[in-house]
């Protein structure tokens, strides 16, 4: 667990309440917590105070109850994975050497490093036979970002800090990387602090979302579904924007929805029961008569129409 | 990419690089042969036998090598670390060092040597000191530019993964700056070899002695001296380029 206790950061020579003003927050172990908010609201500053790339002006950050100031900053950073938007792979080192950075700093023996590097490259879907010896310049943007993630995972840290890691990547590759991160998280179960200014990304990835406004003021700290269903302040409503309820549909699984029974012959348009209400809405809009059959393999589980969606979303 | 394509690309690069590898010594050889032709067309002078004998030429050539390489060695050993310190250090310090180094290069080489003569008298030492002052600026400037030019994201990720300041410098920043650092070293090496001829004025020895003893007396002597300096500069630069190839990481632009 990471705890912010009345943490503030004032940059020297800057007036006003500060980049981060009196932030108190608890980040539970094994969860993805997303910091989301408008540009300049203090997301990056808050994140970098966790691994002491930035030192707080006042307040305390502790990890599992221990004040991070008690730890050597370099040793602390080696124990926390760190991924940034610009990635910052070492251009003069191969993919394998990049991934081996922290194990190397921690003086692992060569055998162990090799094994670990291969394992990680497999994990992120870049077969070592093809990729280990390449230089970062010989990778696509998405591949580089995945190597950045592998590098951060190298010594199996409990905590990962990710600052807009997918910000510079096209929407399709970005969605794939998001899915991969979720899949990876099923396996590795890290405490992940993830910064983004994209609310859709926040809602998709976060077990909890901290919506921040200027000075890293916490407007609401809640699971995504709750954030979308019950915005706590006008600032949250404003940030979520017009499409708040449509966004929320993506969080509701069809399995949890009360469907209408099939009446006569099932509608031609179908949606798989593994999908969400958002998929169902898309199908309803496509359907000639506005009704859609929810199918579970060959079986029709029920029917969805506009009314079902509206009732389920409330 | 298929294995065949990789190999083909590799071989092509290899043969090209072999050509490049020997282009400079070959050109120097051709140049020397051509100057020999010119030499034959020039009228001999009365002083020729005293200068154009192997004992004298060899001693001055070795002297020139010593002057240049000692000076260059000092510039490299002082200039690169100093440049790194300037690059990561405080601004006032940087401004001061650059002021001095700029001054060192703005004053004509001969001016520095005369000043050093007035202070230290005749000999090789004042010559070497003068050459060091003169050669420092390119190395400093390129080292600073190289270190300051490293992508900040790369440094942030290095520090964010727990490298100490020194580890980041040694294993990331300096290697990434090394191409520019070498460019500065090569500029200085050529500069120093050329300027070392001025050592003649304050008794520093070297090939300047050969050239000076031919001036107004024998074009043959001047030609021999000048060709030797030029060949030395070209070959030394070429040798340093080989070191550069071995040391600088390949393809460091991501
Ligand atoms: N090194 C610095 N010196 C002075 N002010 C800074 C510095 N870094 C950030 N700030 C200021 O602190 C505030 C918070 O910056 P921060 O980088 O944490 O924002 P952010 O939420 O990450 O924004 P973005 O979404 O644009 O990345 C901003 O007003 C910024 O101008
Ligand atoms: Mg930021």
């Amino acid at each position: 667990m990471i705890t912010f206790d009345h943490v503030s950061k004032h940059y020297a020579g800057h007036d006003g309440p500060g980049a981060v003003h009196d932030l108190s927050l608890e980040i539970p172990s094994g969860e993805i917590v997303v910091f989301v908010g408008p540009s300049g609201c203090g997301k990056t500053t808050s994140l970098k105070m966790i691994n002491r790339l930035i030192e707080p002006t006042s307040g305390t950050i502790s990890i599992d109850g221990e004040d991070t100031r008690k730890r050597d900053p370099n040793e602390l950073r080696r124990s926390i994975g760190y991924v940034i938007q610009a990635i910052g792979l070492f251009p003069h080192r191969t993919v394998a050497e990049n991934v081996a950075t922290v194990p190397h700093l921690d003086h692992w023996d060569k055998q162990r490093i090799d094994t670990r590097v291969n394992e990680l490259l497999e994990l992120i879907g870049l077969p070592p036979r093809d990729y280990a010896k390449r230089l970062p310049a010989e990778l696509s943007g998405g591949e580089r970002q995945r190597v950045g993630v592998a590098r951060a995972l190298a010594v199996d840290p409990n905590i990962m800090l990710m600052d807009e890691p997918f910000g510079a990547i096209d929407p399709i590759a970005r969605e794939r990387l998001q899915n991969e991160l979720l899949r990876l998280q099923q396996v590795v179960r890290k405490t992940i602090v993830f910064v983004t200014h994209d609310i859709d990304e926040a809602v998709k990835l976060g077990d909890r979302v901290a919506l921040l406004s200027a000075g890293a003021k916490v407007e609401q700290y809640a699971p995504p579904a709750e954030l979308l269903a019950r915005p706590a302040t006008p600032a949250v409503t404003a940030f979520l924007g017009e499409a708040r309820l449509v966004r929320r549909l993506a969080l509701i699984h069809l399995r949890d929805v009360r469907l209408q029974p099939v009446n006569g012959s099932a509608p031609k348009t179908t949606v798989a029961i593994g999908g969400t209400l958002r998929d169902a809405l898309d199908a309803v809009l496509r359907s000639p008569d506005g009704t859609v059959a929810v199918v579970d393999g060959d079986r029709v589980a029920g029917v969805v129409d506009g009314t079902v969606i509206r009732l389920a979303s409330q | 990419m298929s294995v065949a394509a990789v190999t083909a690309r590799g071989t092509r690069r290899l043969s090209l690089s072999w050509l490049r590898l020997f282009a400079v010594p070959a050109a120097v050889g051709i140049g020397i042969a051509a100057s020999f032709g010119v030499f034959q067309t020039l009228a001999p002078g009365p002083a020729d036998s005293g200068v154009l004998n192997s004992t004298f030429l060899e001693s001055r050539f070795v002297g020139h090598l010593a002057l240049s390489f000692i000076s260059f060695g000092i510039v490299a050993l002082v200039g690169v670390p100093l440049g790194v310190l300037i690059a990561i250090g405080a601004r006032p310090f940087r401004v001061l060092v650059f002021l001095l180094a700029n001054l060192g290069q703005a004053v004509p080489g001969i001016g520095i040597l005369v000043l050093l003569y007035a202070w230290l008298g005749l000999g090789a030492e004042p010559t070497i000191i003068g050459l060091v002052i003169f050669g420092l600026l390119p190395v400093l400037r390129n080292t600073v530019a190289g270190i300051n030019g490293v992508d900040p994201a790369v440094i942030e990720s290095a520090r964010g993964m727990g490298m100490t300041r020194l580890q980041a410098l040694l294993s990331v920043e300096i290697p990434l700056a090394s191409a520019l650092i070498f460019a500065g070293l090569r500029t200085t090496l050529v500069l120093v070899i050329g300027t070392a001829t001025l050592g003649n004025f304050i008794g520093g020895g070297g090939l300047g002695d050969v050239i000076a003893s031919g001036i107004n007396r024998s074009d043959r002597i001047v030609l021999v001296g000048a060709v030797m300096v030029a060949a030395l500069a070209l070959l030394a630069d070429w040798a340093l380029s080989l070191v550069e190839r071995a040391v600088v990481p390949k393809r460091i632009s991501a």
Side-chain angles (χ1 to χ4, degrees):
Chain A
M1 186 167 70
I2 306 169
T3 315
F4 285 77
D5 187 19
H6 298 287
V7 174
S8 294
K9 173 67 191 180
H10 292 257
Y11 287 107
H14 289 253
D15 302 333
V20 172
H21 180 68
D22 197 26
L23 174 65
S24 294
L25 194 77
E26 280 192 356
I27 297 165
S29 298
E31 289 198 0
I32 302 183
V33 166
V34 181
F35 291 175
V36 66
S39 184
C41 71
K43 305 181 292 291
T44 297
T45 305
S46 304
L47 189 81
K48 284 186 177 176
M49 286 193 287
I50 297 174
N51 67 357
R52 293 181 62 189
L53 282 176
I54 295 176
E55 298 284 1
T57 316
S58 63
T60 307
I61 297 175
S62 40
I63 294 175
D64 297 330
E66 192 195 16
D67 185 345
T68 52
R69 269 171 308 198
K70 297 216 180 90
R71 314 235 331 237
D72 169 67
N74 293 310
E75 179 266 325
L76 175 73
R77 288 178 204 140
R78 287 201 294 275
S79 73
I80 297 178
Y82 186 56
V83 187
I84 54 180
Q85 177 174 342
I87 321 174
L89 292 183
F90 301 143
H92 58 306
R93 298 212 180 146
T94 64
V95 166
E97 287 165 345
N98 265 285
V99 174
T101 304
V102 183
H104 192 74
L105 291 172
D106 281 350
H107 306 293
W108 287 20
D109 62 56
K110 194 182 167 327
Q111 180 73 54
R112 187 169 166 216
I113 292 181
D114 288 349
T115 314
R116 179 65 178 154
V117 167
N118 286 342
E119 183 182 296
L120 282 164
L121 290 180
E122 293 288 359
L123 185 70
I124 57 163
L126 301 179
R129 285 166 60 85
D130 273 1
Y131 286 90
K133 294 249 153 52
R134 291 207 206 172
L135 289 168
E138 297 164 337
L139 302 176
S140 75
E143 287 169 343
R144 264 179 237 165
Q145 199 49 267
R146 280 187 270 173
V147 174
V149 172
R151 185 171 70 165
L153 282 169
V155 295
D156 205 12
N158 290 324
I159 298 172
M160 296 272 283
L161 308 179
M162 309 181 83
D163 193 348
E164 304 200 32
F166 311 143
I169 292 168
D170 72 84
I172 294 172
R174 166 191 265 235
E175 182 160 350
R176 208 170 53 223
L177 286 167
Q178 290 167 346
N179 293 335
E180 275 174 27
L181 181 69
L182 288 173
R183 176 183 61 82
L184 213 61
Q185 172 69 347
Q186 297 298 319
V187 184
V188 296
R189 283 280 157 213
K190 304 293 180 195
T191 306
I192 299 179
V193 188
F194 190 105
V195 165
T196 180
H197 52 235
D198 175 358
I199 186 68
D200 286 314
E201 186 166 72
V203 164
K204 175 165 183 182
L205 295 179
D207 294 308
R208 287 163 199 251
V209 175
L211 202 148
L212 308 178
S213 60
K217 175 166 187 280
V218 180
E219 295 287 341
Q220 189 168 4
Y221 183 39
E226 190 181 325
L227 193 82
L228 290 166
R230 284 180 290 280
T233 68
V236 179
T237 316
F239 193 81
L240 296 178
E242 301 287 341
R244 172 168 71 89
L245 293 175
V246 177
R247 289 203 169 98
R248 198 167 101 81
L249 296 182
L251 297 174
I252 302 171
H253 296 277
L254 284 170
R255 284 190 202 285
D256 305 330
V257 170
R258 225 198 158 99
L259 304 172
Q260 277 180 357
V262 186
N263 204 345
S265 67
K268 293 268 184 308
T269 315
T270 62
V271 63
I273 197 161
T276 65
L277 268 189
R278 190 163 183 164
D279 303 319
L281 176 63
D282 198 75
V284 165
L285 296 176
R286 263 188 280 125
S287 161
D289 63 352
T291 62
V292 171
V294 178
V295 293
D296 185 1
D298 296 335
R299 196 175 67 83
V300 176
V303 173
V304 166
D305 62 10
T307 312
V308 171
I309 294 176
R310 192 165 54 76
L311 289 175
S313 72
Q314 274 158 15
Chain B
M1 188 181 303
S2 73
V3 175
V6 174
T7 327
R9 199 180 58 176
T11 350
R12 186 154 5 101
R13 198 187 290 154
L14 204 68
S15 58
L16 233 171
S17 68
W18 276 102
L19 252 173
R20 272 211 208 108
L21 206 59
F22 290 107
V24 172
V28 169
I30 294 168
I32 289 175
S35 345
F36 194 72
V38 175
F39 181 88
Q40 301 294 349
T41 68
L42 298 174
D48 285 7
S49 58
V51 176
L52 300 182
N53 62 70
S54 58
T55 327
F56 185 77
L57 286 181
E58 196 183 303
S59 77
R60 291 312 184 263
F61 181 74
V62 171
H64 202 94
L65 272 182
L67 281 179
S68 325
F69 285 115
I70 291 172
S71 314
F72 175 73
I74 296 173
V75 171
L77 288 180
V78 173
V80 175
L82 187 62
V84 172
L85 280 180
I86 293 171
I88 65 176
R91 231 186 98 76
F93 175 60
R94 179 185 318 179
V95 172
L96 183 73
V97 176
F98 266 104
L99 201 75
L100 293 177
N102 272 313
L103 213 67
Q105 217 183 29
V107 177
I110 187 76
I112 294 180
L113 290 184
V114 169
L115 285 176
L116 286 166
Y117 162 69
W119 179 34
L120 293 170
L122 293 173
E125 288 84 4
T127 309
I128 290 174
I129 295 174
L131 290 174
V132 168
I133 294 174
F134 205 59
L136 207 52
L137 185 66
V139 172
L140 279 184
R141 196 166 39 201
N142 277 38
T143 305
V144 171
I147 298 285
N148 285 345
V150 175
D151 180 356
V154 170
I155 301 175
E156 187 190 330
S157 77
R159 302 284 284 144
M161 284 188 293
M163 285 194 188
T164 63
R165 190 75 197 79
L166 189 67
Q167 285 170 331
L169 258 180
L170 292 179
S171 64
V172 179
E173 293 170 70
I174 291 175
L176 290 177
S178 59
L180 265 179
I181 294 176
F182 262 95
L185 287 173
R186 287 173 65 176
T187 306
T188 284
L189 182 60
V190 173
L191 198 71
V192 162
I193 291 174
T195 312
T197 50
L198 297 180
N200 165 255
F201 287 99
I202 59 168
L207 291 167
D209 290 359
V210 175
I211 297 175
S213 52
I215 284 175
N216 292 333
R217 293 200 289 166
S218 164
D219 291 344
R220 284 191 162 188
I221 295 180
V222 174
L223 179 74
V224 169
V227 167
M228 286 175 80
V229 174
L232 179 60
L234 286 168
L235 289 176
D237 180 59
W238 172 72
L240 190 55
S241 79
L242 296 187
V243 178
E244 177 179 346
R245 285 163 60 107
V247 172
V248 174
K250 311 281 178 293
R251 321 225 350 234
I252 50 179
S253 56

